[in-house]
Amino acid sequence: MEIQYVLYGDKIVEREHASIDLEDRGYNFGDGIYEVVYIYGGKPFSMEEHFKRFADSAAKLEMKLPYTLETVNDLTVKLIEANKIHNGIVYIQMTRGASPRNHLYDRDSACLITGFARKMDPPVQAQENGIKTYLTEDIRWLRCDIKTLNLLGNTMAKRKAADHGCHEALQHREGTCTEGSSSNLFIIKKGTLYTHPATNLILNGITRQHILKIANEQGIDIAEEAFSTRDLIHADEVFLSSTTMEIAPVIAVTGDEEGEFPIGPVTRLLQKKLKEKIKKPTVLK
């Protein structure tokens, strides 16, 4: 079995010994949050930033962490070590726990943390050669800033993109670009880097935050402002970012608008600098 050990509460147990209550609110309502952290050479990257966002998401949903973030960090490291992950991901989830099924939640519910770790190599081909994308209407709810388990809008967009031979879906709200189905969206126009501001309409990705810091360090002009689908199509360069992709250039868009793009110098520079940052022990949390 690929995943041998999992996190259940504050214990690392064999996967076959973990079970979820049928009335767990995560199962019944998608009432929960999660984080995915990438592991490079056995070490998680930016785990501190990921779990800060985990705590922020919990607070926004009025969920109480059953342990301190330090304990969650320690349990996550033990989970990685138990599964002997060199390169891969660790997924940590928290639900509001089990209770008789009722839409009304209890603010004092005993939340349940679970998790797993899986081997996964970086998507080198996507990073080097770029990806094709499908542009479609953003049908998600209006609290995309919370990293919640409610991902049906995202998964439906991803499915539509795959059905059209594309790696990722790009989303827009009535012509204003937001983000990918599982990524943040950037465009470059006349040397300026544009990305949607970190409002309730997008998730403020950890990789997104690293990219903005790197761009600032490199003297690249940054505009955190909304841009249209027409701006997207007329961009000089387009790329996506996420924990698992790092930076993936976009070479084509189909769907509601169509266009093709070169893999440009700004994208390549940001890719190079992000990889350098990943390799520095000081940013491995």
Side-chain angles (χ1 to χ4, degrees):
M1 186 178 293
E2 183 185 1
I3 299 172
Q4 185 175 0
Y5 297 99
V6 299
L7 174 64
Y8 186 88
D10 61 352
K11 301 289 190 300
I12 306 296
V13 301
E14 292 188 13
R15 178 174 180 170
E16 62 187 28
H17 294 150
S19 61
I20 304 298
D21 193 299
L22 281 175
E23 288 193 299
D24 187 284
R25 289 186 63 88
Y27 184 73
N28 288 170
F29 295 102
D31 189 355
I33 58 174
Y34 75 101
E35 283 290 335
V36 176
V37 182
Y38 209 93
I39 306 155
Y40 296 93
K43 296 180 180 180
F45 177 64
S46 289
M47 190 159 72
E48 184 177 304
E49 291 91 336
H50 277 282
F51 284 127
K52 180 184 182 302
R53 185 174 63 183
F54 189 74
D56 290 344
S57 292
K60 290 174 181 177
L61 291 179
E62 299 186 299
M63 299 173 68
K64 294 183 178 180
L65 292 169
Y67 323 113
T68 65
L69 283 183
E70 183 179 3
T71 298
V72 176
N73 285 352
D74 291 344
L75 290 169
T76 301
V77 171
K78 290 178 181 178
L79 179 61
I80 294 167
E81 292 173 346
N83 286 283
K84 299 178 181 178
I85 304 297
H86 182 70
N87 289 333
I89 62 165
V90 60
Y91 174 95
I92 302 296
Q93 171 178 295
M94 184 172 77
T95 71
R96 209 178 295 271
S99 61
R101 190 181 186 282
N102 187 327
H103 280 69
L104 181 63
Y105 62 81
D106 183 348
R107 292 188 178 91
D108 294 319
S109 294
C111 294
L112 174 65
I113 291 181
T114 56
F116 63 83
R118 171 178 287 134
K119 295 177 182 177
M120 179 188 296
D121 290 323
V124 176
Q125 184 173 344
Q127 294 170 359
E128 290 299 314
N129 302 328
I131 60 174
K132 296 179 180 179
T133 61
Y134 188 83
L135 183 64
T136 186
E137 185 72 27
D138 193 338
I139 61 170
R140 302 171 300 165
W141 75 323
L142 295 176
R143 291 308 307 271
C144 298
D145 56 307
I146 307 173
K147 201 167 177 68
T148 171
L149 304 182
N150 289 274
L151 294 172
L152 275 177
N154 305 64
T155 60
M156 291 172 71
K158 181 81 79 173
R159 178 71 264 172
K160 184 182 289 188
D163 289 345
H164 287 85
C166 295
H167 180 91
E168 172 65 310
L170 305 184
Q171 301 172 108
H172 69 91
R173 292 187 185 271
E174 298 181 343
T176 297
C177 293
T178 51
E179 58 186 345
S181 67
S182 59
S183 58
N184 288 121
L185 171 62
F186 296 80
I187 66 171
I188 294 111
K189 185 67 176 180
K190 296 181 179 179
T192 297
L193 180 67
Y194 293 85
T195 190
H196 195 287
T199 66
N200 62 297
L201 297 181
I202 73 161
L203 181 71
N204 188 10
I206 302 302
T207 305
R208 174 187 183 275
Q209 295 172 43
H210 280 300
I211 289 168
L212 292 176
K213 290 177 183 177
I214 292 169
N216 185 60
E217 293 165 359
Q218 296 300 310
I220 297 170
D221 290 333
I222 300 168
E224 288 189 74
E225 59 185 53
F227 55 87
S228 70
T229 56
R230 296 305 296 165
D231 293 329
L232 167 68
I233 296 307
H234 290 101
D236 299 325
E237 303 174 42
V238 181
F239 68 85
L240 298 173
S241 72
S242 73
T243 292
T244 54
M245 285 195 299
E246 297 173 14
I247 293 175
V250 172
I251 58 173
V253 173
T254 58
D256 291 350
E257 298 278 1
E258 296 190 357
E260 295 184 354
F261 314 94
I263 302 176
V266 177
T267 300
R268 287 304 192 204
L269 174 64
L270 292 171
Q271 282 184 317
K272 177 175 179 288
K273 294 300 180 180
L274 178 60
K275 286 188 177 295
E276 290 175 359
K277 194 168 190 179
I278 287 168
K279 291 177 182 178
K280 289 182 180 178
T282 53
V283 297
L284 291 176
K285 303 289 185 180

